[in-house]
């Protein structure tokens, strides 16, 4: 009898001990759920995957701000439970090189995943980018997957840029469009435009033209540009004219060439030049000559299209001693 009682007590004791061990670890939080965050983009585009431990709640947001990795560039940056997540070092397997990790940044043990920051997407309220937010609580146990959706629309509007000559005639072949990377102000400055024009044989005139445009939405959610278009004044790039040469010959009284002078001229300006005894006195004096007869003269015209006309002139000279010029 005592043995049976002892055996019964031992069995009860063992059952109690086993039950105590069984409840020492709560298996109800085992497992994780893969959450795929998507937007609708002619089908679906995945923004990110997160593996959320069972029983945990995450708030996933995209905010228009700077990334810790790129502090001077704005983008749609992922935030998890209010923490801005660095994007440097991401690859297809997750935050292998990011610091801090998702676990460290959020304090959620076992939270992993990877992020594909959406480009060219926005959600707009009152003409400004607004955060996108989705909450998710993983079921208490087991493994599984689910999909959550963001309401994003792709930035598809383009802004028209036109070009006119100095007479106000539009050059349709130069017309182009510009697609902003985000809502807000953007500037089309001379450097950017001139690079485009140079490829097409044009230049800005004057060269310092630029425009600032605001990209927003109206009360109906339609894209609006202010101003609605811009026009730059341009002209064909002016090519340097070919150098023109004027040949001035000096012959003696018998017609034999004794000196020659060459003028090389390159300019867009039209010019008329007169050669006579007065204009050539210093040059001839150094050579020991003077015009003879003294009343000789020649008028030459110059244009960038035709050069000099005539291109050659001849004068008669007489050799003299240095005393003649004293």
């Amino acid at each position: 009898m005592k043995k049976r009682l002892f055996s019964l007590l031992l069995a009860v004791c063992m059952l109690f001990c086993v039950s105590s061990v069984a409840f020492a670890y709560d298996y109800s939080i085992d497992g994780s759920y893969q959450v795929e965050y998507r937007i609708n983009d002619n089908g679906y585009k995945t923004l990110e995957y997160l593996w959320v431990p069972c029983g945990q709640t995450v708030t996933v947001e995209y905010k228009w701000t700077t990334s810790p990795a790129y502090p001077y560039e704005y983008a749609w940056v992922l935030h998890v439970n209010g923490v801005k997540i660095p994007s440097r070092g991401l690859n297809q397997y997750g935050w292998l090189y990011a610091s801090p990790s998702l676990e460290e940044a959020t304090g959620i043990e076992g939270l992993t995943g990877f992020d594909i920051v959406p480009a060219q997407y926005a959600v707009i309220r009152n003409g400004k980018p607004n955060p996108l937010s989705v909450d998710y609580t993983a079921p208490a146990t087991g493994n599984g997957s689910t999909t959550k959706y963001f309401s994003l629309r792709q930035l598809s509007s383009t802004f028209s840029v036109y070009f006119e000559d100095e007479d106000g005639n539009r050059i349709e072949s130069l017309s182009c469009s510009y697609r902003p990377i985000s809502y807000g102000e953007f500037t089309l400055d001379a450097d950017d435009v001139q690079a485009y024009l140079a490829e097409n044989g044009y230049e800005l005139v004057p060269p310092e033209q630029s425009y600032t445009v605001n990209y927003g939405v109206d009360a109906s959610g339609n894209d609006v540009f202010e101003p609605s278009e811009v026009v730059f004044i341009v002209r064909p790039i002016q090519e340097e004219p070919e150098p023109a040469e004027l040949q001035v010959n000096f012959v003696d009284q018998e017609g034999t060439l004794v000196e020659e002078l060459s003028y090389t001229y390159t300019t867009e300006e039209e010019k008329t030049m007169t050669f006579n005894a007065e204009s050539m006195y210093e040059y001839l004096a150094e050579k020991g000559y003077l015009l003879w007869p003294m009343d000789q003269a020649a008028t030459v015209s110059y244009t960038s299209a035709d050069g000099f006309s005539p291109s050659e002139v001849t004068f008669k000279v007489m050799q003299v001693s240095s005393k003649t010029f004293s």
Side-chain angles (χ1 to χ4, degrees):
M1 184 65 179
K2 289 183 178 180
K3 287 183 178 181
R4 289 181 180 179
L5 182 59
F6 178 76
S7 298
L8 182 60
L9 289 173
L10 180 60
V12 171
C13 208
M14 288 179 66
L15 179 61
F16 176 78
C17 290
V18 169
S19 299
S20 297
V21 173
F23 289 105
Y25 184 81
D26 186 357
Y27 288 97
S28 65
I29 63 170
D30 280 0
S32 63
Y33 270 65
Q34 175 184 304
V35 187
E36 181 177 355
Y37 293 93
R38 286 180 164 186
I39 56 174
N40 191 343
D41 178 24
N42 296 324
Y44 291 107
K45 180 180 181 68
T46 297
L47 301 183
E48 69 173 286
Y49 293 100
L50 287 181
W51 283 267
V52 182
C54 284
Q56 295 291 331
T57 298
V58 293
T59 298
V60 176
E61 297 175 287
Y62 281 96
K63 296 182 180 180
W64 185 255
T65 183
T66 56
S67 167
Y70 305 99
Y72 304 108
E73 296 182 9
Y74 274 75
W76 289 101
V77 178
L78 173 68
H79 292 64
V80 178
N81 287 7
V83 178
K84 183 188 292 189
I85 304 301
S87 58
R88 185 183 294 277
L90 298 181
N91 62 22
Q92 61 179 326
Y93 302 108
W95 279 272
L96 295 183
Y97 305 107
S99 178
S101 66
L102 276 177
E103 289 184 330
E104 294 169 333
T106 62
I108 299 177
E109 184 177 354
L111 181 65
T112 59
F114 71 88
D115 167 51
I116 303 174
V117 177
Q120 295 292 330
Y121 289 86
V123 61
I124 304 301
R125 297 186 185 93
N126 299 322
K128 297 181 180 179
N130 278 261
L132 309 170
S133 180
V134 173
D135 291 325
Y136 177 70
T137 300
T141 186
N143 296 290
S145 64
T146 188
T147 301
K148 308 295 286 186
Y149 295 94
F150 281 102
S151 177
L152 280 169
R153 63 172 174 154
Q154 189 167 17
L155 301 183
S156 58
S157 294
T158 57
F159 180 73
S160 296
V161 182
Y162 297 103
F163 300 90
E164 294 179 356
D165 62 23
E166 294 174 273
D167 295 324
N169 301 309
R170 182 159 293 184
I171 306 171
E172 295 296 343
S173 62
L174 292 179
S175 300
C176 62
S177 60
Y178 174 81
R179 176 172 292 176
I181 61 172
S182 67
Y183 286 89
E185 285 191 348
F186 62 90
T187 298
L188 296 171
D189 60 26
D191 290 341
D192 294 335
V193 175
Q194 186 58 69
Y196 166 74
L197 290 174
E199 295 178 357
N200 293 277
Y202 284 82
E203 61 185 359
L204 290 173
V205 53
E208 64 276 4
Q209 300 172 67
S210 67
Y211 291 95
T212 297
V213 181
N214 185 65
Y215 179 29
V217 293
D218 61 19
S220 301
N222 300 313
D223 290 332
V224 175
F225 292 100
E226 296 179 356
S228 59
E229 63 182 43
V230 296
V231 177
F232 289 90
I233 307 303
V234 301
R235 67 181 177 189
I237 294 176
Q238 304 293 316
E239 295 185 3
E240 287 290 330
E242 292 292 328
E245 185 174 290
L246 172 65
Q247 185 73 26
V248 182
N249 301 318
F250 300 97
V251 299
D252 61 18
Q253 299 300 305
E254 285 73 37
T256 303
L257 182 66
V258 293
E259 287 288 338
E260 57 185 356
L261 176 64
S262 294
Y263 283 93
T264 301
Y265 205 63
T266 304
T267 182
E268 296 177 9
E269 179 185 359
E270 295 188 0
K271 193 175 183 69
T272 299
M273 307 172 68
T274 298
F275 297 89
N276 54 29
E278 182 180 357
S279 63
M280 294 185 293
Y281 175 82
E282 185 175 347
Y283 171 80
L284 290 173
E286 292 178 354
K287 304 294 184 179
Y289 292 93
L290 56 75
L291 286 185
W292 195 263
M294 296 287 289
D295 60 354
Q296 296 175 79
T299 299
V300 178
S301 63
Y302 169 84
T303 64
S304 58
D306 301 323
F308 287 105
S309 180
S311 60
E312 183 174 352
V313 294
T314 300
F315 294 93
K316 282 188 175 183
V317 296
M318 179 176 65
Q319 191 171 21
V320 294
S321 67
S322 59
K323 293 181 180 180
T324 306
F325 302 99
S326 58

